[in-house]
Amino acid sequence: MTSLRVLAHICAFINLVLADCECGYSITTNPENRRYVFTDILESDFIHLDITDGIQTYGEYGWAPQAFNMSHEVARGPYGESFTLQNVISDNIADEQVFGGSGTKGGDAGLNLIVRSEIKDGMVTGADVSTTEPQYYHGTFRAGIKVTDIPGTCSAFFWYMNDTQEIDIEFLSSEFDRSNNTFPVNLVLQSQESKDAGFDASKTGDFKKINLPFDPTTAFHEYRIDFLPDRVLFYADTELLTEMNGTGVPTTAGNLQVSHWSNGNMGWSRGPPKTDATTTVSYVKAYFNSSLESRQADYNLRCKDPTAATAICAIPDNNATFFFSNVDNMTPNQTTYHENKSGRTRQWRPLSLAAALATGTWIAGL
């Protein structure tokens, strides 16, 4: 009976101690004013997060620089592509309250992705960083990016499963022209249709070239992909650029990547660049539904009343300095990364005791 009385006392205060956002994170699309809720979160503040120090294990922070080669035949250009760990550089700011300026290594603070001008063994060396779990299904994916102004490269933020299940935001620096304010971005769904067209998505209905209303090489801007069940929306700084809703919309989970490359293809990246070129990523924020059964079970455990006032948290638009993971009690049952005296650490935010009791079965003492 004592255990039952303790249980009753704890349950009386459950509404006071349950975490915010336990039922997810939401967006509202326009013009239909429809809300979508996503269960999981991965926020990566690359201004302060060092993923290249060599200390952490592979993918410990949810991301890992990639090392691989592509022949010129596979890359579909006169040069092959070589992605190296050395071309991915974390240039951080020590002060966690500062989100702009130069990093300790002298460049723009963030994750620097470098394409080298030197050709090595018939290949142009570039940079690619990928999430290490292909669990990212429907979701909203945002990246703060400052694109290189050196002609001859392709900078990309994309969702990827395979060559026919891919969502791309790509910047071709050779297309930029300050003299007439031409700054296009290429928005692409790579699909079976584009594969059948020789991987030329421009021959399908899932390709758009949109001129940006700003110069993407002079400052960081937020680029966003909303991967929804029936369509994909592309944004720049909260402005909807286009919507794609054909057969090219992916039907499976995948991963997220940021990359910077060149292969000399005159129809795309051109180049190689005449000098080393750097594109910098300040953050990636992913709010998504996980394909992992373990994460789905975690969600069912923690979310019991999605109608509660703080159960679902609206995702702020184009806010480079706000991270749910930096706020107490807003990332229950999620993995986040925090700074302590010995550096940034990986932290699991478990459910509170009361939440566990509320969503589980109490058997002790019965």
Side-chain angles (χ1 to χ4, degrees):
M1 290 300 295
T2 300
S3 294
L4 289 175
R5 284 194 296 271
V6 171
L7 174 61
H9 180 73
I10 291 175
C11 287
F13 291 94
I14 278 175
N15 287 334
L16 298 179
V17 297
L18 284 176
D20 292 341
C21 317
E22 66 264 22
C23 292
Y25 308 87
S26 70
I27 62 170
T28 300
T29 59
N30 292 316
E32 71 275 18
N33 199 36
R34 181 176 177 183
R35 186 171 76 159
Y36 293 86
V37 177
F38 307 112
T39 61
D40 283 78
I41 184 173
L42 177 68
E43 295 178 322
S44 303
D45 170 13
F46 290 124
I47 288 178
H48 302 107
L49 182 66
D50 187 348
I51 67 168
T52 64
D53 60 11
I55 298 174
Q56 71 271 14
T57 58
Y58 179 86
E60 182 178 343
Y61 296 150
W63 294 86
Q66 303 297 301
F68 61 95
N69 293 337
M70 298 171 62
S71 68
H72 74 89
E73 294 91 351
V74 174
R76 300 188 291 276
Y79 300 100
E81 299 171 27
S82 179
F83 294 90
T84 72
L85 304 184
Q86 293 76 18
N87 285 353
V88 180
I89 299 174
S90 291
D91 195 355
N92 302 129
I93 293 176
D95 189 338
E96 288 277 306
Q97 303 305 312
V98 176
F99 285 87
S102 298
T104 57
K105 297 173 183 175
D108 286 319
L111 189 64
N112 291 335
L113 308 176
I114 302 172
V115 174
R116 304 291 180 184
S117 58
E118 181 182 0
I119 306 299
K120 291 187 176 181
D121 300 322
M123 295 187 176
V124 184
T125 65
D128 182 271
V129 181
S130 172
T131 57
T132 52
E133 287 279 0
Q135 63 166 315
Y136 299 83
Y137 203 13
H138 301 131
T140 180
F141 311 117
R142 300 128 186 259
I145 302 174
K146 182 179 178 182
V147 181
T148 184
D149 62 355
I150 305 296
T153 76
C154 175
S155 301
F157 169 49
F158 59 109
W159 176 100
Y160 180 84
M161 181 57 195
N162 56 45
D163 288 345
T164 61
Q165 300 263 334
E166 183 175 349
I167 306 170
D168 294 329
I169 296 177
E170 296 191 328
F171 305 88
L172 307 179
S173 56
S174 291
E175 293 186 330
F176 300 156
D177 187 346
R178 286 196 179 93
S179 68
N180 59 11
N181 290 319
T182 299
F183 301 105
V185 59
N186 297 275
L187 310 173
V188 186
L189 300 185
Q190 295 287 2
S191 62
Q192 184 62 47
E193 185 180 3
S194 65
K195 180 181 179 181
D196 294 342
F199 292 101
D200 185 354
S202 66
K203 296 178 180 178
T204 75
D206 295 324
F207 174 88
K208 296 287 185 182
K209 188 185 295 288
I210 306 292
N211 195 55
L212 296 169
F214 53 78
D215 182 346
T217 72
T218 59
F220 288 91
H221 295 270
E222 181 177 272
Y223 304 96
R224 169 178 158 191
I225 296 168
D226 285 355
F227 171 22
L228 306 176
D230 58 348
R231 56 192 168 140
V232 176
L233 308 177
F234 296 90
Y235 295 82
D237 289 347
T238 73
E239 179 183 346
L240 178 63
L241 299 177
T242 194
E243 173 182 329
M244 298 181 188
N245 55 14
T247 58
V249 175
T251 57
T252 185
N255 64 21
L256 297 175
Q257 296 186 42
V258 288
S259 69
H260 191 198
W261 56 272
S262 178
N263 60 19
N265 185 326
M266 292 305 295
W268 200 248
S269 72
R270 302 190 187 181
K274 293 183 178 180
T275 61
D276 292 352
T278 300
T279 284
T280 304
V281 182
S282 58
Y283 64 82
V284 175
K285 301 176 183 181
Y287 310 94
F288 62 100
N289 294 329
S290 175
S291 63
L292 299 178
E293 291 184 359
S294 60
R295 293 302 299 148
Q296 295 167 11
D298 287 339
Y299 176 76
N300 291 331
L301 177 66
R302 71 177 180 263
C303 177
K304 290 303 179 182
D305 184 9
T307 65
T310 61
I312 297 173
C313 296
I315 303 167
D317 286 333
N318 195 27
N319 189 328
T321 63
F322 177 83
F323 296 81
F324 287 106
S325 48
N326 287 343
V327 182
D328 289 341
N329 214 39
M330 297 191 83
T331 53
N333 197 224
Q334 308 280 356
T335 300
T336 61
Y337 307 99
H338 290 274
E339 190 78 13
N340 60 24
K341 292 181 180 179
S342 60
R344 187 167 284 268
T345 60
R346 184 173 186 268
Q347 183 177 37
W348 172 251
R349 295 281 183 90
L351 289 173
S352 65
L353 172 62
L357 292 176
T359 57
T361 302
W362 179 259
I363 59 173
L366 297 181

